[in-house]
Amino acid sequence: MTTSAPPARPRFVIVDIARGVAIIAMIAYHLCWDLSYFRFIAADVGYDPQWVAIARTILSAFLFLVGVGLVLGHGRAIRWRAFWKRWLFVAAGAAIITIATFFAFPQSFVYFGVLHAIALFSLMALPFLRAPLWLVALVAAIIIGAHFAYADPLFNAKTWSVLGFWTVPPPANDLVPIFPWFGVVLLGVIVTRLVLASPLADRLAAIQPENRLATTLAGAGRWSLLIYLLHQPLLLAVLYPLAALTHPEIAMRSADFLKSCQQTCTTGGTSAPLCVTYCQCGLEGVEKDDLWNAIYTGQVTAAEQAQLDANNRQCSTLIYPELNLPQ
């Protein structure tokens, strides 16, 4: 006689809605990243601190919900067939992303991104679904805390970077290391187990979408993995040909020039208003004499260097008139 695993708990629609919000936030972030990459917008989405904070917030939500979903689906007993079916889908998606980004971005391809992490973390989290809560909390604290307490250049290499203790992250368009991010999954496990053991569980289970927005978010949440796989190819299918036709990098180069010039100028001790005047003058000279190739490539002919020096002297006299002395 064989026994089957207990059925999964009734679906918590509120969790689907939360997943829907997270996947829409992820799409919005990736849209901005793509716009920045193709130079439709000036923001450096990959490195500006505010954008990095937004990305980490969205990732935290995703991984927290992984822990939530594992407890809801397998907390009473692991439903192996359902688990492996979903796991294979995630793993296959991770493999597709690695292959696609290897050809599109060979220097920064995704070798351990969000889906890779979800696949590994889902396996790693299984023993914690019914382990003592104090033990789960202890492991989560160690994994999160170790990331902030230890670093070594050894982990800068791709081979070891999946652990997360680097001093300088290796080039990758998406990298989600074990430390600290597996700890976030365990936080989802802890919170969900605590909620299910409290009266709050019944109230949350009773929540149902009451308007079109909530219904749409819940639907997006149920199909979040498929949406995650498809959204970037669809965005790139629109933005890549649009960038090839419009060349937004040409429009952005002036803004890049002014930003770089003003940073260098103010670092040298000149006041910001004077730097604005100086750099605007420099930009006008570069455009008038068509010196963009010299600036971007660093390959400057003698004639171009002479013109750059003349422009520099002219712009310097705008902010320091005393330099315009008779020869």
Side-chain angles (χ1 to χ4, degrees):
M1 179 177 178
T2 60
T3 59
S4 59
R9 290 182 173 88
R11 195 171 193 98
F12 281 67
V13 179
I14 187 66
V15 175
D16 290 328
I17 293 173
R19 286 197 190 101
V21 172
I23 193 63
I24 289 174
M26 180 71 78
I27 293 172
Y29 172 80
H30 281 160
L31 173 61
C32 292
W33 192 96
D34 293 342
L35 291 172
S36 174
Y37 178 80
F38 288 112
R39 306 301 291 132
F40 284 104
I41 60 175
D44 190 348
V45 173
Y47 293 96
D48 283 351
Q50 62 270 29
W51 284 103
V52 172
I54 291 171
R56 290 178 178 173
T57 300
I58 297 170
L59 178 59
S60 297
F62 258 96
L63 295 179
F64 183 89
L65 289 168
V66 169
V68 172
L70 286 169
V71 174
L72 294 179
H74 308 284
R76 289 185 291 185
I78 298 174
R79 297 154 52 236
W80 287 111
R81 184 174 181 180
F83 176 85
W84 286 120
K85 181 179 179 181
R86 182 176 178 82
W87 188 89
L88 288 172
F89 182 78
V90 174
I96 291 171
I97 287 175
T98 294
I99 294 170
T101 56
F102 179 80
F103 287 102
F105 312 102
Q107 301 303 317
S108 58
F109 71 98
V110 178
Y111 57 91
F112 196 76
V114 173
L115 292 187
H116 304 74
I118 290 175
L120 178 61
F121 296 169
S122 296
L123 291 171
M124 293 173 62
L126 291 181
F128 297 96
L129 299 184
R130 291 186 298 280
L133 276 176
W134 67 265
L135 178 60
V136 186
L138 176 62
V139 173
I142 291 173
I143 290 174
I144 294 174
H147 168 77
F148 297 98
Y150 174 73
D152 191 284
L154 170 68
F155 300 94
N156 296 352
K158 287 184 177 181
T159 304
W160 303 107
S161 63
V162 296
L163 291 174
F165 297 120
W166 59 65
T167 56
V168 178
N173 287 337
D174 188 21
L175 182 56
V176 185
I178 296 170
F179 294 81
W181 295 109
F182 179 57
V184 178
V185 174
L186 293 183
L187 291 180
V189 170
I190 294 168
V191 171
T192 308
R193 288 179 58 180
L194 289 173
V195 169
L196 291 177
S198 73
L200 181 60
D202 291 335
R203 295 202 295 272
L204 291 177
I207 294 176
Q208 296 296 321
E210 297 180 352
N211 54 58
R212 181 170 295 180
L213 175 60
T215 301
T216 301
L217 290 173
R222 280 190 284 271
W223 293 96
S224 57
L225 282 176
L226 182 61
I227 294 172
Y228 183 88
L229 279 175
L230 294 178
H231 80 279
Q232 268 291 48
L234 292 175
L235 290 175
L236 293 175
V238 174
L239 294 177
Y240 183 82
L242 185 60
L245 288 172
T246 61
H247 298 286
E249 72 280 1
I250 295 177
M252 280 294 169
R253 66 187 182 184
S254 297
D256 292 339
F257 176 91
L258 289 174
K259 180 179 179 181
S260 176
C261 175
Q262 289 167 16
Q263 287 177 343
T264 303
C265 179
T266 54
T267 301
T270 304
S271 67
L274 290 179
C275 285
V276 170
T277 300
Y278 173 81
C279 293
Q280 186 61 47
C281 170
L283 174 61
E284 292 172 358
V286 169
E287 291 181 334
K288 176 175 63 71
D289 299 316
D290 192 20
L291 296 171
W292 287 114
N293 184 69
I295 290 175
Y296 276 110
T297 65
Q299 299 175 356
V300 186
T301 66
E304 289 172 334
Q305 186 61 58
Q307 190 61 60
L308 286 169
D309 292 342
N311 290 344
N312 179 57
R313 288 193 297 272
Q314 178 182 354
C315 295
S316 295
T317 59
L318 284 178
I319 59 174
Y320 298 117
E322 63 273 16
L323 295 177
N324 191 22
L325 297 176
Q327 300 297 320

